[in-house]
Amino acid sequence: MSAETFTLASGGQLPAIGLGLWKLEDEKLGPIVRRAIELGYRHFDSACDYGNEPAFGAALEQSLADGLCKREDLWITSKLWNTYHAPEHVRPAIERTLSDLKLDSLDLYLIHFPIAQQFVPFDKRYPPGWFFDPEADEPAMEFDATPLHETWAAMESLVDAGLTRHIGVCNYNTALLHDLMNYARIRPDVLQVELHPLLTQERLVRFARERDITVTAFSPLGSPSYVPLGMAGEGESLLDHSTVKEIAARHSKSPAQVLLRWGVQRGTAVIPKTSNPERLEEDFAIFDFELTADQMQRIAELNQNRRFNDPGTFCEDAFNTFCPIYD
């Protein structure tokens, strides 16, 4: 079975489903990436901040050496961390990622958050995380006065240099996209944001689509990744929701497959995370059925504007700094 793709404004083909690498431990990452490639996954979503790019790079290198696929068949995404927003740090940041991944170029490089923080040298701490100085008596985030337009211009230079084929943004709202589209020389190809039936973000998705920006949904299953972090409650699982379970039963599919199908069918790529080989196979098997218009609507009506990944909450709770980016 092969995945569907979405055609980007600049012509690339983004696979509709990918494997998200957030929170994947190094020792599990190699086997799960290899198995994913064997199953047909070609889209992998990484980031400096995940701390596992060297392990991911080793897995990619071995899979390519073993002939499981060709580099040109893969779609590899990574992200610029907050501490590297100043123009002089953008190229060194992607070069460090490329070195860790053992690649010459990325398919997509994204601004991870619209938050500029003070630079932390690579040899001091990598990945740098959210604290400026974790050893301080009262550690906190420290912001940097770099405008987003300067960061974007540096991102454009990465395309010019052949270090990435496409660029885009994560965690932007409509106002930031409006502004970006006014100054971008190279327009963003992809917007990656939290999307699931509890947070459908209809206006943002529509705005991006009307501007020819392809949307990728992170956390497409909702709460599972956030419960262990205390950022979601046990009772918020969409996998146990009666509507989702009923629709899944009608299609002889799992609730997870229905949620992922809903994301893809509404025109967004999805990047679920799992370290379970059986779940990995299950997540990929979403291209042999379709939800009806009524089922799509019933799932969309579960929306509660419930955001699990919100810097306005977790930065204050975990990093002693109030840092809202959503009103």
Side-chain angles (χ1 to χ4, degrees):
M1 181 182 297
S2 60
E4 299 172 1
T5 63
F6 294 110
T7 301
L8 305 186
S10 63
Q13 296 293 319
L14 176 68
I17 187 168
L19 177 63
L21 304 183
W22 181 48
K23 294 177 62 182
L24 271 181
E25 301 164 350
D26 283 3
E27 61 270 19
K28 296 180 179 179
L29 198 147
I32 207 72
V33 167
R34 183 180 184 87
R35 181 59 181 148
I37 293 175
E38 290 173 344
L39 289 169
Y41 284 83
R42 295 295 181 264
H43 176 184
F44 294 90
D45 184 85
S46 181
C48 154
D49 187 55
Y50 300 166
N52 55 14
E53 290 197 323
F56 178 39
L60 283 178
E61 184 178 49
Q62 189 62 55
S63 296
L64 292 171
D66 291 344
L68 298 185
C69 64
K70 298 178 181 179
R71 170 62 184 98
E72 56 266 30
D73 298 328
L74 293 173
W75 182 282
I76 309 298
T77 296
S78 189
K79 307 177 187 76
L80 177 77
W81 186 239
N82 306 341
T83 54
Y84 306 133
H85 274 217
E88 66 268 24
H89 300 140
V90 172
R91 180 162 181 159
I94 194 174
E95 288 176 339
R96 174 60 185 263
T97 278
L98 290 171
S99 176
D100 286 344
L101 296 182
K102 304 181 188 301
L103 297 175
D104 296 324
S105 65
L106 295 174
D107 298 283
L108 175 65
Y109 199 47
L110 304 170
I111 295 177
H112 204 151
F113 284 95
I115 301 170
Q117 294 180 244
Q118 288 288 336
F119 175 65
V120 176
F122 295 93
D123 58 0
K124 181 176 182 180
R125 192 173 65 253
Y126 189 89
W130 292 85
F131 284 131
F132 178 70
D133 181 4
E135 305 304 320
D137 291 339
E138 296 182 5
M141 298 164 55
E142 290 194 16
F143 299 110
D144 178 70
T146 299
L148 286 170
H149 74 85
E150 292 185 4
T151 306
W152 187 256
M155 294 282 285
E156 292 172 328
S157 72
L158 303 180
V159 179
D160 297 335
L163 297 175
T164 183
R165 294 168 54 213
H166 307 277
I167 51 177
V169 293
C170 294
N171 301 300
Y172 270 44
N173 58 25
T174 51
L176 288 177
L177 286 180
H178 269 292
D179 194 44
L180 172 57
M181 299 301 280
N182 286 335
Y183 59 71
R185 174 175 61 87
I186 299 176
R187 293 157 61 95
D189 268 324
V190 174
L191 166 69
Q192 185 180 126
V193 289
E194 180 181 348
L195 289 175
H196 44 74
L198 295 180
L199 182 69
T200 57
Q201 303 213 68
E202 298 289 349
R203 289 190 296 181
L204 178 59
V205 171
R206 176 183 172 184
F207 180 80
R209 181 177 294 117
E210 291 182 355
R211 299 306 187 276
D212 291 326
I213 303 171
T214 300
V215 178
T216 296
F218 73 76
S219 300
L221 302 179
S223 67
S225 292
Y226 301 101
V227 173
L229 301 175
M231 297 162 68
E234 292 283 357
E236 295 185 280
S237 175
L238 284 162
L239 300 174
D240 295 325
H241 196 285
S242 59
T243 296
V244 177
K245 292 171 72 173
E246 175 201 328
I247 294 172
R250 289 183 177 274
H251 290 276
S252 298
K253 291 289 184 177
S254 71
Q257 288 171 318
V258 165
L259 293 172
L260 296 175
R261 181 67 212 177
W262 176 83
V264 169
Q265 206 166 307
R266 76 191 293 233
T268 64
V270 293
I271 46 171
K273 186 272 295 184
T274 185
S275 59
N276 183 319
E278 293 180 358
R279 185 65 56 77
L280 187 73
E281 184 172 2
E282 175 187 303
D283 288 350
F284 197 72
I286 61 170
F287 301 104
D288 57 354
F289 76 106
E290 286 191 6
L291 301 173
T292 67
D294 177 68
Q295 290 168 341
M296 290 289 293
Q297 181 62 30
R298 289 177 61 200
I299 294 171
E301 288 173 354
L302 301 180
N303 180 52
Q304 299 176 8
N305 297 322
R306 174 65 167 105
R307 190 185 305 275
F308 297 109
N309 194 322
D310 186 350
T313 299
F314 71 72
C315 285
E316 187 165 27
D317 292 343
F319 306 115
N320 306 320
T321 307
F322 183 47
C323 185
I325 61 174
Y326 311 112
D327 296 329

